[in-house]
Amino acid sequence: MSYLDLVQPTAGDRLAVRALKATARFLEDRIRLVSLVDFLASKPVPHDLNWAYTLGSVCLFLLANQIVTGVLLALYYRPAISEAYESVRHIEEEVTCGWLVRQLHAWGANLMILALCFHMARVLWYGSYKKPREINWLIGVGLLLATLTFGFTGYLLPWDQLSYWASKVGTEIPGALPVIGSVLVKVMRGGEEITGATVGRFYTLHTLVLPGIVLGLVFLHLAIMRYHGITALPGKEHSRKVPFFPHHVMKDAISIYLTLAVLYVLVVVSPWKLHEKADALVTPEGVKPEWYFLWMYQFIKYFPQQIGFMSGKVVGIVLSSGVFGLLALAPVLDFGEGRLIQQRKLFMSLALAVLLGVLSLTVLGYICERDISLLGTTIHFDIKGFPEKVTGK
Amino acid sequence: MDDSLNGLGSKKVSRKDFLDLAVAASAGLTAVGIGVPILTYIWPPLEVTTTAGQKVKIAGLKDITPVKAKAVMFNNKPVLVINTGDNFIALAATCPHLGCVVKWDEPAGKIMCPCHGAAFDIRGNVLGGPAPSPLVPVPLTKAADGIYLG
């Protein structure tokens, strides 16, 4: 089926349909729009793709959610420390549906990072980044980094206690790097401390720079994906092909609607609280970064003050950043041609070890400096996540 | 029964027609579900004017001398208060032509719009220029301690 056939009017068409088809033909004659849609929709995809192959579309949907809700928030948000907190409060409490828009943005951001991780895990598991798709994998790693930066810069904007102190700690960390450390912190903060200048910088990055970068990368990512075609399941490279529309689109739509349902449930059941306004003189207890940075934050804690001639913190920062390096280098490290797991035992063991490490550090980062109660026993975990004091009934 | 209704009732709905309708209905519902909150969000929240429905003192009795005027903001809108010599007049200072704020031209004894030259007499009636209607009067009360609007 071609879309060009659909734009030919038939005798049975009603006036509205004829008008639609005439418009489509007008656009086709001038900018070949229908041919483009046809080209995109008729993309042949293997018929046996599973649900994990819809994660890319879920990421795209969540990106759209961030753009729409972000633009709406920008209508009322004011990026100055004298007004930022009050404007967020105004959105939450006075603007119609303001709470909904803000919660969709906050929860959407978290789900987007989660969906990106699952999408990349799928690509990693099936070895989909192998030749000729190495460059598209690199673009994907770039998108992950840009999305994490989105999360980091957006976190400060409500200007409440949690956002202020998390940003303070977060921007402090690169300060340990030799030579460039202090310069980096100063450039990020727009001064020595987190002030209105920092809010201005983070807001500009968050709303002007990063959206441009991400949209550009997403366009490239999709164009290259359309050029190469979706990878088949490993070992099933010759399976029958079906057009992208409606076969895979239907599956994508179901995943997107499920994501929307999860998003709404989270928004209603567990809304993000706006804490007290930022106070540079009062540090709240147990300041921690967002869950997606917890593993790095926890990892750095296990290094001693000094390792040889280097500061332990620097070694920690360099090693934890190495995880992104490993991710970027996956197509090089996993150099064999085979995509089946049994053909990539060594690489997949390494990948699983790194993944387990990141997950364990995330859990340790979550439980540290907390009292966890389980079955009547309360355990206090120290700064490194070790159980310290046990009190029972 | 009406023939056309009869025809509709007996028409066989194919699986494809049903699916098309279901997809279109889902898409429509989604669009409404997303569109309605966005439209209500964009609509500006009610402006809080602390003085709505209240009388506000804008000047003392001797603050505006005869044939002089004072421009004040009242409920977020500019108002021109003129001492005509025997009384006080308050007029909405927004020109009915394109919304510029009019000024009292004391030597000429007219109210003038600086944008496109609309001219009004001391009571706000159009004397010339492009203004399609007179300036709207604003309720004014002269009390013992001053002039009140509202």
Side-chain angles (χ1 to χ4, degrees):
Chain A
M1 182 196 73
S2 166
Y3 279 71
L4 287 170
D5 303 333
L6 286 177
V7 300
Q8 296 304 326
T10 64
D13 283 348
R14 299 210 175 152
L15 191 66
V17 176
R18 284 187 90 87
L20 265 179
K21 287 186 173 180
T23 313
R25 256 181 306 125
F26 176 89
L27 292 171
E28 170 63 14
D29 289 346
R30 281 150 189 90
I31 53 170
R32 309 224 337 124
L33 191 73
V34 182
S35 299
L36 179 70
V37 173
D38 192 23
F39 171 73
L40 294 174
S42 60
K43 172 177 79 178
V45 295
H47 80 282
D48 49 2
L49 294 182
N50 59 31
W51 289 97
Y53 279 85
T54 63
L55 284 162
S57 301
V58 167
C59 292
L60 207 56
F61 159 71
L62 288 166
L63 175 65
N65 172 67
Q66 291 312 101
I67 294 172
V68 173
T69 52
V71 167
L72 291 173
L73 287 174
L75 294 182
Y76 296 103
Y77 177 75
R78 300 200 189 102
I81 49 171
S82 54
E83 292 180 283
Y85 181 80
E86 286 75 11
S87 66
V88 176
R89 173 139 278 175
H90 173 67
I91 292 170
E92 276 274 331
E93 294 173 2
E94 286 158 33
V95 179
T96 317
C97 292
W99 64 273
L100 179 64
V101 173
R102 174 167 178 259
Q103 295 299 336
L104 282 174
H105 197 73
W107 266 116
N110 285 279
L111 283 191
M112 189 171 162
I113 290 168
L114 197 66
L116 269 179
C117 292
F118 281 129
H119 178 53
M120 291 183 97
R122 195 278 293 166
V123 175
L124 205 78
W125 184 255
Y126 290 148
S128 298
Y129 46 63
K130 284 177 183 275
K131 193 182 170 189
R133 299 183 173 82
E134 301 98 318
I135 293 170
N136 223 13
W137 167 257
L138 268 183
I139 293 174
V141 175
L143 277 168
L144 175 71
L145 291 175
T147 310
L148 290 174
T149 317
F150 251 127
F152 185 67
T153 50
Y155 202 66
L156 175 68
L157 302 182
W159 199 251
D160 68 0
Q161 275 289 68
L162 211 64
S163 71
Y164 176 87
W165 289 98
S167 303
K168 173 116 175 162
V169 174
T171 48
E172 197 82 46
I173 290 172
L177 291 172
V179 192
I180 55 160
S182 58
V183 178
L184 212 61
V185 173
K186 207 166 179 171
V187 170
M188 277 203 294
R189 290 183 177 173
E192 302 290 343
E193 288 296 324
I194 303 257
T195 59
T198 325
V199 174
R201 273 160 201 244
F202 278 29
Y203 182 72
T204 307
L205 270 177
H206 194 80
T207 59
L208 291 171
V209 182
L210 287 168
I213 292 173
V214 164
L215 286 177
L217 288 179
V218 165
F219 179 78
L220 271 178
H221 198 65
L222 294 179
I224 295 174
M225 191 262 292
R226 174 65 184 90
Y227 176 62
H228 287 144
I230 294 179
T231 43
L233 286 162
K236 293 186 177 172
E237 281 79 7
H238 301 292
S239 67
R240 185 168 54 85
K241 299 274 199 295
V242 289
F244 179 66
F245 181 85
H247 302 263
H248 198 64
V249 168
M250 199 63 192
K251 224 170 191 163
D252 275 343
I254 293 170
S255 284
I256 287 171
Y257 270 102
L258 277 175
T259 310
L260 189 64
V262 171
L263 184 59
Y264 264 82
V265 168
L266 288 169
V267 161
V268 173
V269 173
S270 176
W272 289 84
K273 202 177 146 202
L274 185 62
H275 294 264
E276 281 173 15
K277 189 173 176 174
D279 185 344
L281 293 174
V282 184
T283 311
E285 276 182 37
V287 175
K288 287 178 187 182
E290 277 295 82
W291 61 269
Y292 39 88
F293 290 124
L294 270 181
W295 62 278
M296 281 183 114
Y297 161 82
Q298 193 63 17
F299 186 65
I300 296 166
K301 287 185 192 168
Y302 296 105
F303 288 85
Q305 279 284 338
Q306 205 69 24
I307 303 176
F309 62 94
M310 283 212 288
S311 122
K313 213 168 163 188
V314 172
V315 178
I317 295 170
V318 172
L319 282 179
S320 59
S321 310
V323 170
F324 295 105
L326 279 179
L327 213 53
L329 286 174
V332 180
L333 297 171
D334 183 16
F335 52 80
E337 268 186 29
R339 289 172 50 223
L340 292 165
I341 296 292
Q342 51 267 43
Q343 294 167 305
R344 309 150 60 211
K345 282 181 191 152
L346 194 63
F347 175 77
M348 286 313 284
S349 312
L350 172 73
L352 275 177
V354 173
L355 180 69
L356 274 178
V358 167
L359 285 178
S360 320
L361 284 166
T362 304
V363 172
L364 284 169
Y366 177 77
I367 61 170
C368 73
E369 294 172 85
R370 241 183 245 268
D371 289 323
I372 309 274
S373 296
L374 202 69
L375 302 171
T377 311
T378 304
I379 307 168
H380 180 79
F381 293 89
D382 70 2
I383 190 162
K384 288 184 176 169
F386 299 134
E388 200 177 43
K389 201 168 72 192
V390 183
T391 43
K393 270 181 203 168
Chain B
M1 192 191 263
D2 188 331
D3 274 355
S4 61
L5 271 180
N6 211 357
L8 196 71
S10 64
K11 191 183 164 196
K12 209 173 164 222
V13 177
S14 71
R15 230 169 101 99
K16 187 181 175 302
D17 285 342
F18 176 76
L19 272 176
D20 280 353
L21 194 71
V23 168
S26 311
L29 272 176
T30 308
V32 171
I34 292 171
V36 170
I38 289 180
L39 289 177
T40 55
Y41 178 92
I42 291 172
W43 190 254
L46 281 181
E47 272 180 47
V48 185
T49 43
T50 47
T51 56
Q54 288 176 26
K55 284 187 194 299
V56 179
K57 183 177 175 183
I58 49 109
L61 286 175
K62 290 179 181 162
D63 290 347
I64 309 170
T65 51
V67 290
K68 291 217 183 285
K70 185 182 179 184
V72 294
M73 288 302 281
F74 176 65
N75 287 346
N76 298 337
K77 290 192 173 91
V79 172
L80 197 62
V81 182
I82 311 167
N83 184 343
T84 60
D86 18 281
N87 214 339
F88 287 94
I89 280 184
L91 298 164
T94 308
C95 179
H97 177 223
L98 287 172
C100 296
V101 174
V102 296
K103 283 194 288 199
W104 171 240
D105 185 344
E106 196 189 328
K110 288 191 289 195
I111 299 168
M112 294 295 298
C113 178
C115 289
H116 308 101
F120 308 85
D121 70 12
I122 203 161
R123 309 210 164 267
N125 301 310
V126 181
L127 292 175
S133 57
L135 297 175
V136 182
V138 176
L140 177 145
T141 317
K142 197 171 134 188
D145 64 333
I147 302 156
Y148 288 79
L149 290 184

